[in-house]
Amino acid sequence: MRKDIFAHKSKSWDKLNRRVQSAKAVANLIAKEVELNKDMKLLDVGVGTGLLSFYLAPYVKEIVGVDNSKSMLNEFKNKKSDFACKIRALNLDISKDIIDEKFDGIVSTMTLHHIKEIEPLFIKFKSLLKKDGFIALADLEREDGSFHSDNSGVYHYGFDFKELEEIAKKADFSEVRYKLVYIVNKPHRDFNVNLLVAKSL
């Protein structure tokens, strides 16, 4: 049985204003970079309590949220009536488990650094997308390991986005680009968060 490392955090997750504002910033940049429409079905990887999905919901038809934390997914499902689109929750491990459907887009924020194998993940993303689908993935730039106070479940101290760009291209994505989306100000230093966007042909 998988250990839910977010069980003790799920109830209070949305109370940190920085998390809410960060999710809103990512959603706003996705909406600028990608042409969203009300016929779209998105997959939100590492959906958590649904902060990113909440701000993307007005633009699309349906969002399927996947997470390996049952407690986080419960918070997501409890907000179902607040969403401006249909939502569904899948409790599984995106790296290992099968998702037997296709999506118009795959989004995530601050999830990639919790996933051990990145190259196979991009190949899986490609397989889950319809023709002309997209990925829009936000995460930390390479850092020194001091972003989290506890690095349990953290496999990457951020990313070199040039390397992520190459991984995306290798997985047969096109129009790959990334932009700074926001900066996390912590007492000891600042941390950049970028958004990687690419298209599946």
Side-chain angles (χ1 to χ4, degrees), residues 103-167:
F103 301 89
D104 298 289
I106 298 173
V107 301
S108 81
T109 183
M110 300 298 277
T111 297
L112 292 186
H113 63 263
H114 290 294
I115 298 173
K116 193 171 185 179
E117 301 292 339
I118 297 299
E119 289 194 32
L121 182 70
F122 273 73
I123 293 166
K124 185 165 191 174
F125 284 168
K126 183 77 166 59
S127 73
L128 289 170
L129 287 169
K130 297 176 186 176
K131 188 178 184 299
D132 296 326
F134 71 90
I135 52 171
L137 316 169
D139 215 303
L140 291 159
E141 273 187 14
R142 183 86 74 212
E143 49 103 2
D144 58 5
S146 66
F147 180 82
H148 297 87
S149 54
D150 176 4
N151 281 315
S152 301
V154 174
Y155 292 104
H156 308 274
Y157 297 149
F159 296 93
D160 178 331
F161 272 73
K162 280 285 182 194
E163 289 179 9
L164 279 186
E165 193 175 22
E166 289 308 308
I167 289 170

Side-chain angles (χ1 to χ4, degrees), residues 4-177:
D4 188 346
I5 62 170
F6 288 95
H8 64 295
K9 300 177 181 178
S10 57
K11 291 285 184 190
S12 60
W13 192 258
D14 294 0
K15 291 180 181 175
L16 184 62
N17 186 56
R18 170 174 61 78
R19 286 198 186 108
V20 176
Q21 294 307 314
S22 299
K24 193 173 184 179
V26 173
N28 287 343
L29 188 55
I30 290 172
K32 285 180 185 174
E33 291 292 315
V34 179
E35 198 171 324
L36 301 172
N37 67 66
K38 294 295 283 183
D39 292 321
M40 283 184 165
K41 178 173 69 172
L42 303 185
L43 180 67
D44 186 344
V45 175
V47 66
T49 62
L51 286 176
L52 176 59
S53 284
F54 179 81
Y55 290 109
L56 289 173
Y59 299 99
V60 299
K61 182 179 183 179
E62 181 181 6
I63 299 175
V64 179
V66 59
D67 209 296
N68 62 8
S69 167
K70 275 190 177 178
S71 59
M72 292 292 240
L73 278 180
N74 284 338
E75 296 302 311
F76 173 53
K77 289 186 285 189
N78 287 342
K79 294 190 280 187
K80 188 173 184 177
S81 61
D82 298 332
F83 278 76
C85 76
K86 181 181 175 184
I87 66 164
R88 282 189 287 132
L90 298 176
N91 181 213
L92 51 77
D93 184 333
I94 189 68
S95 299
K96 300 172 184 173
D97 298 325
I98 294 169
I99 302 175
D100 192 20
E101 55 186 306
K102 297 275 189 179
F103 301 89
D104 298 289
I106 298 173
V107 301
S108 81
T109 183
M110 300 298 277
T111 297
L112 292 186
H113 63 263
H114 290 294
I115 298 173
K116 193 171 185 179
E117 301 292 339
I118 297 299
E119 289 194 32
L121 182 70
F122 273 73
I123 293 166
K124 185 165 191 174
F125 284 168
K126 183 77 166 59
S127 73
L128 289 170
L129 287 169
K130 297 176 186 176
K131 188 178 184 299
D132 296 326
F134 71 90
I135 52 171
L137 316 169
D139 215 303
L140 291 159
E141 273 187 14
R142 183 86 74 212
E143 49 103 2
D144 58 5
S146 66
F147 180 82
H148 297 87
S149 54
D150 176 4
N151 281 315
S152 301
V154 174
Y155 292 104
H156 308 274
Y157 297 149
F159 296 93
D160 178 331
F161 272 73
K162 280 285 182 194
E163 289 179 9
L164 279 186
E165 193 175 22
E166 289 308 308
I167 289 170
K169 287 176 181 175
K170 193 175 173 183
D172 212 20
F173 284 95
S174 65
E175 299 176 33
V176 187
R177 71 258 188 209

Side-chain angles (χ1 to χ4, degrees), residues 175-192:
E175 299 176 33
V176 187
R177 71 258 188 209
Y178 62 90
K179 284 185 178 179
L180 176 68
V181 58
Y182 64 89
I183 298 170
V184 180
N185 307 115
K186 291 203 171 188
H188 62 292
R189 60 164 285 189
D190 293 344
F191 298 87
N192 289 350

